[in-house]
Amino acid sequence: MTDAPLAARLRDLAGPTIFSEMTALAQAAGAVNLGQGFPDGDGPAALLEAAHAAIDQGLNQYPPATGLPVLRKAIAARRAADHGVEYDPETEVVVTAGATEAIAAALIGLCEPGDEVVVFDPLYDSYGACLAMAEVRRVPVLLEYDGTRFSFDPDALRAAVGPRTRLILLNTPHNPSGKVFDARELALIAELCVEHDLIAVVDEVYEYLVYDGLRHLTPAALPGMRERTLSISSAGKTFSATGWKVGWACGPAPLVTAVRTVKQYLTFGTGTPFQAAVAHGLTACMDWVEELRAGLESRRDLLVAGLRTGGITTYPSSATYFLQMDARSFGTGDGDALCRELVRSAGVVAIPSVALYDDKKAGRHLVRLAFCKDEELLAGAAGRLAAQARAAGAGQVARPARDLDGRARTSKT
């Protein structure tokens, strides 16, 4: 056996993810974990009771490879009610082991080795792994902060599409930036997909966790897009049940068949009683989801307000669990080094956003914080970070910056 049995295309992925690494540091130091995006609280009581009932009723064996019929029907009904896009639950919906499996199965099932996939940079870390497993080349389009929001250069997106492009992989609402792609941006993506006959694989797991009066728009609802869009979502973020790993993909039958073909040889099926409970959640617990959304928006604002007391620059987050802050507020442009220092000096763990960037220079100064935590914990962590920034900021030059509400303020860099 060779010294490096791991396939060459996966060697860059060896070792723990940045999320596992930082969580281990949090546990070892007894630090507050604002790194990994898991909520402190459980989902709605009715959802949990439905899971118990499903177990008691004997739903403990393999589900169908495509998922329990009751869940596929609930997913299709939810997409129709929310977006006006109708799917046949028999042929156009497949249940997966979380959204991560849906994305992996889509890329493996829809791409040939050597194909190109357009992605938006930064990108969630599993995307790179899935693309490597599919043996395709990713072509990144940078999301840059323009003073009010993260956006991309339309010409850069057009230039990213070439003769080998197979699909566009889109995450909206977007992790880690908290960006919600707007109608104008989605229209351009749709235009390019139609013009070049591309597939759109859209990760929409934060579809219900959108703030500031904005609304999530699914590309599948745009003209010419239903027949070429695979919409992926999950119960984990919607119902604060990340450990259940129940996700799904909706789309035209040929795309869903590609996902099912791969996933039946990965997990085949997952969490039968949890699938039954999620079906109940999608039909009877959506008021709770709205309460969750409002609560997360309030926690985001609480965290931002606490960080501001230390002169810390934050970036607008209109969705997801996450907020980005600027490492330069602490007297350093190195977000990775700052995150490791904060474990020791502030007892707070964050994620260096650079780990999620192809363009390391663009993401070097950014740090991702999760606000899906208890309010008291958030307030305490914000206070520690603010104190650390004040201690590091003595004598530094003040500069104008923009915070969550877009208003100019003074911070230290």
Side-chain angles (χ1 to χ4, degrees), residues 83 112 129 220 222 256 338 378 381 398 412:
H83 304 293
E112 298 287 353
L222 298 178
V256 168
L338 176 65
L378 286 174
K412 306 265 178 100

Side-chain angles (χ1 to χ4, degrees), residues 28-72:
V32 174
N33 189 355
L34 300 189
Q36 198 166 10
F38 59 85
D40 277 352
D42 286 330
L47 182 83
L48 306 182
E49 290 166 4
H52 285 290
I55 293 171
D56 292 341
Q57 292 164 14
L59 289 177
N60 300 304
Q61 308 308 324
Y62 294 125
T66 53
L68 288 181
V70 67
L71 177 54
R72 286 185 275 117

Side-chain angles (χ1 to χ4, degrees), residues 46 48 61 64 101 107 125 153 157 210 256 327 366 382 408-409 413:
L48 306 182
Q61 308 308 324
E101 186 190 36
L107 294 173
D125 71 335
D153 180 349
L157 178 59
V210 178
V256 168
L366 296 172
R409 66 177 180 82
T413 187

Side-chain angles (χ1 to χ4, degrees), residues 6-13 128-129 131-136:
L6 183 65
R9 67 183 182 279
L10 302 178
R11 287 176 191 162
D12 288 344
L13 306 173
L131 291 164
M133 287 187 280
E135 297 187 75
V136 299

Side-chain angles (χ1 to χ4, degrees), residues 81-101:
D82 292 341
H83 304 293
V85 183
E86 296 190 357
Y87 296 102
D88 181 346
E90 294 298 319
T91 61
E92 297 185 318
V93 180
V94 60
V95 178
T96 57
T100 302
E101 186 190 36

Side-chain angles (χ1 to χ4, degrees), residues 109-324:
L110 294 170
C111 295
E112 298 287 353
D115 281 348
E116 293 182 352
V117 171
V118 175
V119 298
F120 289 91
D121 188 19
L123 61 159
Y124 184 61
D125 71 335
S126 75
Y127 292 3
C130 294
L131 291 164
M133 287 187 280
E135 297 187 75
V136 299
R137 175 175 173 264
R138 70 192 193 212
V139 181
V141 176
L142 183 63
L143 295 174
E144 295 185 274
Y145 184 61
D146 64 8
T148 58
R149 64 194 294 267
F150 285 91
S151 61
F152 63 89
D153 180 349
D155 290 335
L157 178 59
R158 293 187 183 98
V161 176
R164 295 302 304 270
T165 304
R166 173 62 169 161
L167 59 83
I168 294 178
L169 176 57
L170 172 65
N171 175 207
T172 182
H174 183 263
N175 172 17
S177 72
K179 170 185 175 62
V180 179
F181 281 71
D182 65 24
R184 178 184 55 83
E185 293 167 327
L186 294 177
L188 174 58
I189 292 168
E191 174 190 321
L192 292 171
C193 286
V194 172
E195 178 183 351
H196 297 277
D197 193 24
L198 306 179
I199 297 167
V201 175
V202 189
D203 176 355
E204 305 179 45
V205 297
Y206 293 101
E207 59 183 312
Y208 297 108
L209 307 183
V210 178
Y211 319 123
D212 306 321
L214 299 179
R215 179 172 175 266
H216 166 65
L217 304 172
T218 181
L222 298 178
M225 288 299 287
R226 187 199 181 282
E227 60 265 33
R228 63 181 68 252
T229 299
L230 194 67
S231 298
I232 293 169
S233 196
S234 166
K237 301 302 189 293
T238 300
F239 296 113
S240 295
T242 59
W244 287 16
K245 297 302 292 180
V246 177
W248 51 84
C250 303
L255 299 186
V256 168
T257 297
V259 173
R260 177 187 54 75
T261 299
V262 176
K263 74 91 56 190
Q264 69 186 355
Y265 297 111
L266 293 176
T267 61
F268 181 80
T270 182
T272 305
F274 297 141
Q275 289 192 30
V278 171
H280 178 75
L282 289 172
T283 55
C285 298
M286 297 309 291
D287 287 346
W288 181 93
V289 175
E290 170 55 24
E291 292 176 5
L292 171 68
R293 186 209 63 77
L296 286 169
E297 183 171 4
S298 176
R299 290 181 223 179
R300 176 204 63 179
D301 294 345
L302 172 68
L303 179 59
V304 169
L307 296 174
R308 282 180 176 175
T309 66
I312 297 171
T313 299
T314 62
Y315 293 83
S317 171
S318 295
T320 76
Y321 286 165
F322 307 113
L323 172 78
Q324 295 202 100

